[in-house]
């Protein structure tokens, strides 16, 4: 039987995502009612600038007092899309205390304080859903948390930031330099005026922490994620990648150790073979590759950001939370029963592509090979080429077999001390093989 009293929803934030959430709630009201089993009513919208005209939103619902809104006591669900740590954290916990469940898109907060928020939700018997926090409209968190709950996930490998993928795709397909590709991304609205969170990997690292925690049933914080940005990737790196049959992507990689006793989470640019499904992900799209013991290899692909795609994920969570409310139940909470330690980056084992500027004279290759051998890093291929302008220098590219990151770091440190090595032009990991 259809419940007649509407479920009341408070919206915190009415920017690009929040305004789309409000619009869909209004235009799809009948469909939402049918799917939930009760009508949903937008009961209040907390904003910082109340004077701004917001099409389709009753001005009487707009308030600058977000705390009073979540404390009302008649709010069933709070949707938080303001971002950042505070006041979002306090508003969410206050909502729990006053009877509301929460739907959030706040990746930074969840990566930093997810465990505390889950504990607060459980203490009050509330839901905390956040599908929109990772990869926009792509259904990813729910499959990991529910569909694969009976399986053992060993690896999550993905492109989880559309801005960086757009930039790297343009560098690869058009030969543009980093700054030129960034300027285009900014002009098209893919990059913020300050793109640091994207291009330095902070955004992807927060998402990696969330994914690793869910996939491996353990607590992984943002501080546990190794992070490198992609601002140093050059046209020469792409040329080397093409010679290897690869391209370059900024990847979030979460892995369970071979012995199953620890996990790692990292974000960095990497070369991946053109044959890998992630290599064909273009423009600002996201894609995540999941490897599970029974299910095998699964790939999730779609738009990873933007108002409408992110709002789609928010509304999906809203439907689930409202259904739980009607059934006097809660959905799955934090699943961190394994409590596996997070290993440091030095324990990660992968292949490497190292480009060196060296003196163009006999014996250099032997010296370099000796350093690799002394540090236990096996060489797969070597390519040496003199500079077109001469000058007594050459470019030496070494691709290794799989080795621990700590061994590679020691190798590079030793190479820098050789008189014949003028500089280390680039170091890039090779993944997805």
């Amino acid at each position: 039987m259809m419940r007649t009293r509407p479920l009341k929803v408070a919206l915190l934030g009415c920017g690009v995502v929040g305004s789309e959430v409000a619009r869909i709630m209004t235009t799809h009201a009948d469909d939402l009612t049918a799917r939930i089993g009760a009508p949903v009513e937008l009961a209040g919208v907390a904003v910082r600038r109340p004077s701004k005209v917001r099409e389709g939103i009753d001005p009487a619902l707009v308030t600058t007092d977000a705390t009073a809104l979540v404390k009302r006591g008649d709010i069933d669900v709070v949707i938080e899309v303001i971002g950042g740590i505070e006041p979002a954290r306090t508003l969410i916990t206050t909502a729990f205390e006053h009877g509301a469940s929460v739907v959030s898109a706040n990746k930074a907060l969840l990566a930093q304080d997810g465990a505390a928020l889950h504990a607060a939700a459980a203490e009050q018997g509330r839901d905390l859903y956040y599908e929109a926090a990772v990869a926009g409209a792509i259904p990813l968190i729910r499959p990991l948390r529910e569909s694969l709950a009976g399986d053992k996930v060993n690896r999550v490998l993905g492109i989880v930031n559309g801005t960086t993928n757009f930039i790297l795709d343009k560098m690869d397909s058009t030969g543009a330099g980093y700054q030129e590709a960034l300027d285009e991304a900014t002009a098209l609205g893919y990059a913020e005026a300050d793109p640091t969170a994207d291009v330095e990997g902070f955004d992807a690292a927060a998402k990696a922490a969330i994914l690793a925690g869910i996939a491996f049933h353990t607590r992984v914080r943002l501080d546990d994620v190794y992070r490198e940005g992609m601002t140093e990737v050059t046209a020469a790196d792409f040329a080397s990648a093409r010679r290897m049959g690869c391209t370059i992507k900024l990847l979030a990689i979460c892995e369970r150790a071979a012995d199953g006793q620890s996990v790692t989470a990292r974000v960095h640019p990497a070369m991946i073979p053109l044959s890998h499904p992630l290599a064909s992900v273009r423009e600002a799209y996201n894609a995540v590759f999941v490897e599970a013991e029974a299910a095998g290899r699964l790939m999730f692909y779609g738009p990873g950001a933007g108002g409408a795609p992110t709002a789609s994920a928010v509304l999906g969570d809203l439907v689930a939370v409202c259904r739980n409310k009607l059934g006097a139940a809660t959905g799955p909470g934090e699943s961190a029963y394994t409590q596996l330690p997070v290993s440091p980056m030095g324990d990660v084992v992968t292949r490497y592509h190292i480009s060196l500027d060296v003196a163009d004279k006999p014996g250099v290759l032997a010296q370099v090979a000796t350093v690799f051998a002394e540090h236990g890093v096996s060489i797969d291929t070597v390519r040496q080429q003199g500079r077109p302008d001469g000058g007594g220098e050459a470019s030496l590219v070494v691709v290794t077999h799989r080795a621990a990151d700590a061994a590679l770091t020691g190798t590079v440190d030793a190479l820098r001390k050789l008189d014949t090595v003028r500089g280390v032009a680039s170091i890039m990991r090779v993944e997805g093989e």
Side-chain angles (χ1 to χ4, degrees):
M1 182 177 295
M2 182 73 69
R3 167 175 155 165
T4 56
R5 185 184 79 78
L7 291 159
K8 294 190 176 183
V9 178
L11 178 61
L12 307 183
C14 198
V16 174
V17 175
S19 60
E20 276 295 308
V21 169
R23 183 190 67 79
I24 295 172
M25 285 185 65
T26 301
T27 58
H28 295 184
D30 291 343
D31 286 340
L32 290 173
T33 298
R35 292 166 191 168
I36 292 169
V40 288
E41 173 188 311
L42 189 59
V45 182
V47 300
R48 284 184 294 181
R49 293 181 293 165
S51 60
K52 181 180 177 181
V53 176
R54 294 172 172 86
E55 186 178 350
I57 296 178
D58 183 352
L61 297 178
V62 176
T63 179
T64 58
D65 194 342
T67 301
L69 179 59
V70 300
K71 281 184 173 181
R72 274 178 35 173
D74 64 336
I75 300 297
D76 294 290
V77 183
V78 169
I79 297 175
E80 183 272 308
V81 288
I82 56 178
I85 307 301
E86 288 291 358
R89 173 171 49 197
T90 299
L91 290 170
I92 288 173
T93 56
T94 302
F96 292 147
E97 292 165 1
H98 287 79
S101 290
V102 173
V103 173
S104 176
N106 195 332
K107 54 188 170 288
L109 177 59
L110 289 159
Q112 178 172 304
D113 290 323
L117 293 176
H118 273 292
E123 182 180 354
Q124 301 294 333
R126 315 297 178 210
D127 273 329
L128 174 63
Y129 277 49
Y130 43 90
E131 184 69 61
V134 180
I138 304 172
L140 181 59
I141 289 177
R142 191 171 286 112
L144 282 173
R145 189 164 61 174
E146 299 177 28
S147 303
L148 295 173
D151 206 339
K152 181 180 180 182
V153 176
N154 291 316
R155 196 172 197 231
V156 179
L157 172 76
I159 298 164
V160 295
N161 183 277
T163 300
T164 55
N165 198 58
F166 180 89
I167 293 170
L168 292 172
D169 181 44
K170 289 301 175 185
M171 292 177 69
D172 188 20
S173 62
T174 70
Y178 166 75
Q179 189 60 52
E180 183 183 352
L182 173 60
D183 290 344
E184 183 177 354
T186 304
L188 292 172
Y190 293 129
E192 301 287 346
D194 179 1
T196 303
D198 294 324
V199 299
E200 294 295 351
F202 291 101
D203 175 85
K207 295 170 181 176
I210 295 169
L211 291 175
I214 296 170
F216 305 134
H217 306 284
T218 197
R219 287 178 179 166
V220 180
R221 288 171 49 89
L222 180 58
D223 293 344
D224 297 320
V225 181
Y226 174 84
R227 176 194 56 79
E228 284 181 22
M230 40 76 71
T231 58
E232 301 301 317
V233 177
T234 66
D237 292 325
F238 274 104
S240 288
R242 281 190 288 272
R243 280 191 285 266
M244 292 176 58
C246 293
T247 188
I248 298 171
K249 300 291 186 182
L250 184 75
L251 299 179
I253 305 171
C254 312
E255 293 178 305
R256 189 189 301 269
D259 62 5
Q261 300 305 303
S262 64
V263 299
T264 57
R266 50 196 166 105
V267 168
H268 53 72
M271 295 181 180
I272 59 171
L274 294 174
S275 57
H276 194 282
L278 291 178
S280 61
V281 178
R282 306 293 302 276
E283 299 285 330
Y285 277 77
N286 283 193
V288 178
F289 205 69
V290 177
E291 298 177 15
E293 201 163 85
R297 295 180 175 182
L298 310 170
M299 183 165 161
F300 302 83
Y301 170 84
T310 306
S312 171
V314 169
L315 268 295
D317 279 349
L318 176 64
V319 169
V321 170
C322 287
R323 286 172 174 169
N324 291 343
K325 279 276 184 180
L326 293 179
T330 56
E334 184 188 32
S335 176
Y337 65 87
T338 60
Q339 293 299 323
L340 296 173
V342 182
S343 296
M345 185 62 186
D347 290 351
V348 169
V349 176
T350 189
R351 297 179 68 208
Y352 303 89
H353 175 283
I354 304 104
S355 180
L356 306 171
D357 294 328
V358 299
D360 190 5
K361 62 182 184 181
V364 172
L365 179 56
Q367 289 182 332
V368 168
T370 298
V371 170
F372 276 88
E374 289 174 345
H375 289 82
V377 180
S378 175
I379 293 175
D380 181 18
T381 63
V382 177
R383 186 181 71 254
Q384 184 171 351
Q385 184 175 351
R387 300 287 190 194
D389 56 355
E393 289 191 1
S395 173
L396 183 64
V397 175
V398 178
V399 180
T400 74
H401 290 290
R402 290 171 59 83
D405 201 83
L408 190 280
T409 299
T411 302
V412 172
D413 288 343
L415 288 170
R416 286 194 170 105
K417 296 176 183 178
L418 292 178
D419 292 338
T420 51
V421 174
R422 308 293 167 77
V424 179
S426 73
I427 304 168
M428 195 163 294
R429 296 165 185 88
V430 183
E431 302 285 347
E433 295 179 306

